[in-house]
Amino acid sequence: QVQLIESGGGSVQAGGSLRLSCEPSGRAFENYAMGWFRQAPGKEREFVAAIRWNGREPTYVGSVKGRFTIFRDNAKNTLYLQMHSLKPEDTAVYYCAAGRSLLPTTIAGYDYWGQGTQVTVSS
């Protein structure tokens, strides 16, 4: 069974930093684009960042540009999301995903999903 397992979530104060990790089990995803989404209470799941299979063309939603960095280590089969200057509006459950498309930025573009990790930012 293929699983994506996120870790690294937690509670921080505004201005703080967190690094999320995503490790697949059951198969390797070195040929897949990978992405991060988030879902705040009462809101729809939204795209945060994505990266190609080769680590190129990191793409971000405007609200996180300059604060978040997506990167991957294919040798370790791990995806990361480094988050700096966190804001209360970043509070959400963060999900990693893997997709066969080149650089998907929509939910429909991804084939595998993790269970999510909670990020809470207090003011």
Side-chain angles (χ1 to χ4, degrees), residues 34-106:
M34 301 288 292
W36 289 97
F37 287 72
R38 66 186 179 187
Q39 188 166 18
K43 295 188 177 181
E44 294 185 350
R45 191 172 299 190
E46 67 167 351
F47 169 77
V48 175
I51 195 165
R52 288 197 178 201
W53 69 272
N54 57 6
R56 295 181 178 177
E57 295 190 47
T59 301
Y60 304 92
V61 67
S63 60
V64 308
K65 281 183 180 179
R67 301 189 298 121
F68 290 12
T69 302
I70 184 172
F71 60 102
R72 63 192 295 169
D73 185 338
N74 284 345
K76 296 182 178 179
N77 206 28
T78 303
L79 174 73
Y80 302 93
L81 185 68
Q82 179 67 54
M83 306 185 292
H84 293 299
S85 302
L86 282 161
K87 305 176 180 180
E89 51 264 43
D90 295 318
T91 295
V93 177
Y94 283 70
Y95 300 88
C96 76
R100 297 180 181 90
S101 300
L102 283 178
L103 193 65
T105 59
T106 63

